[in-house]
Amino acid sequence: MADAAPEPFDVPVTGGVLRVHRWGRSGPRVLAAHGITASAMAFRALGERLAGDVTLLAPDLRGRGASGELPGPFGLAAHARDLVAVLDHVGAQRATALGHSMGAYVAVELALDFPERVERLVLADGGLPLPVPEDADVDEMVAATLGPALQRLLRTFPSREAYLDYWRDHPAFSQPGVWNAYVESYLHYDLTGQPGALRSRVSEEAVRTDGRDVFSNERLGRSLGRITCPVTLLRAARGLLDQPQPLLADEVVERYQAVLPQLTDQVVADTNHYTLTLGERGAEALAAHVRRAVGVV
């Protein structure tokens, strides 16, 4: 297995530079977009498993990780433009676009706005419009869906261990055997500040703006039929809070398979929304699907 440490580099974008992490330097390029309060370190387990056969390019999206100080505009279209800047920087005309959670919606936006740059889509627990009641308050839906992941942005922590303890209580990580080195690496990378007042590097403004885009999804639903490239969807069996219902219900997938007949769907057993990328089982399943999608067996 490859070294866990990726190669970081910076890409000029509107407002500053975007930090990008690269695993591998050979094979087909896969451009990976992470979730709404995450960072590129969500793909560390995947990067280990692909490096040597696939070049995985994973930016810290605007407002997150080492790109946390980048200003707006935020939103799916802004992230898609930043991904194009990454492709231009590395001299890639096209790539497979992989997205997890909100990153899957960014990948879909990229395929809609810049179809000539996307060879195929691999969507992990996202990318299809979520059901939203007509009278819903979108900000309330974002807060209710994200729960502790959003609440942490309003807090400071006295130590790194206190931050890890906060996440150990999260339902997605509280079951025996779920916590691992990938989770700890991901969480350590998220922190900034001085001991006694550590905080997440994620911008609350970015999260709320992007969340409104994800849940205000009428345009996305109307546009999906324009996507012609192959689309693979992997769903975690359980939700963000480890609830037994997946984030994307079967009926949602069935509805959009009529719009995207090239969509293939698989539920990954014994995973939740977080462990689909941060857990051993989830990373293995995601790596296997990426390998098949890009023709590396």
Side-chain angles (χ1 to χ4, degrees), residues 33-259:
H34 59 72
I36 193 166
T37 71
S39 72
M41 291 302 107
F43 295 115
R44 187 166 189 163
L46 177 65
E48 285 187 5
R49 287 157 174 78
L50 294 178
D53 297 313
V54 172
T55 300
L56 182 68
L57 300 163
D60 289 332
L61 296 179
R62 183 180 293 264
R64 286 87 171 172
S67 307
E69 298 302 319
L70 269 175
F74 302 108
L76 301 182
H79 294 307
R81 291 192 295 270
D82 287 343
L83 294 187
V84 170
V86 175
L87 292 178
D88 289 343
H89 185 83
V90 300
Q93 179 56 37
R94 307 178 75 202
T96 292
L98 161 68
H100 173 241
S101 191
M102 181 204 75
Y105 296 91
V106 174
V108 168
E109 186 76 32
L110 179 67
L112 289 170
D113 294 350
F114 304 94
E116 73 282 1
R117 309 305 295 267
V118 178
E119 291 181 339
R120 61 188 64 78
L121 289 170
V122 179
L123 309 177
D125 236 23
L128 300 183
L130 296 165
V132 178
E134 289 185 8
D135 59 348
D137 183 302
V138 173
D139 287 330
E140 289 182 2
M141 287 197 68
V142 173
T145 301
L146 295 179
L150 180 61
Q151 294 163 15
R152 83 185 195 278
L153 306 185
L154 308 177
R155 294 185 52 178
T156 59
F157 298 84
S159 66
R160 288 182 173 271
E161 192 59 34
Y163 190 57
L164 297 186
D165 287 343
Y166 178 82
W167 278 98
R168 284 189 180 98
D169 290 336
H170 191 291
F173 299 113
S174 60
Q175 298 301 315
V178 171
W179 194 267
N180 62 32
Y182 296 120
V183 175
E184 292 202 3
S185 174
Y186 166 78
L187 295 177
H188 281 299
Y189 185 76
D190 185 48
L191 281 176
T192 190
Q194 299 300 315
L198 296 168
R199 59 178 176 81
S200 169
R201 294 203 276 185
V202 176
S203 160
E204 182 189 1
E205 178 190 358
V207 170
R208 294 193 181 278
T209 302
D210 294 342
R212 294 184 197 110
D213 248 11
V214 169
F215 282 103
S216 303
N217 53 29
E218 290 183 7
R219 181 189 64 83
L220 178 62
R222 292 194 303 268
S223 302
L224 280 178
R226 294 198 281 110
I227 294 176
T228 59
C229 67
V231 183
T232 298
L233 173 66
L234 276 76
R235 291 185 287 152
R238 301 175 71 84
L240 280 92
L241 302 178
D242 204 48
Q243 63 268 50
Q245 300 81 19
L247 179 65
L248 293 173
D250 291 347
E251 53 267 29
V252 171
V253 178
E254 291 167 4
R255 174 184 177 185
Y256 288 103
Q257 278 180 319
V259 179

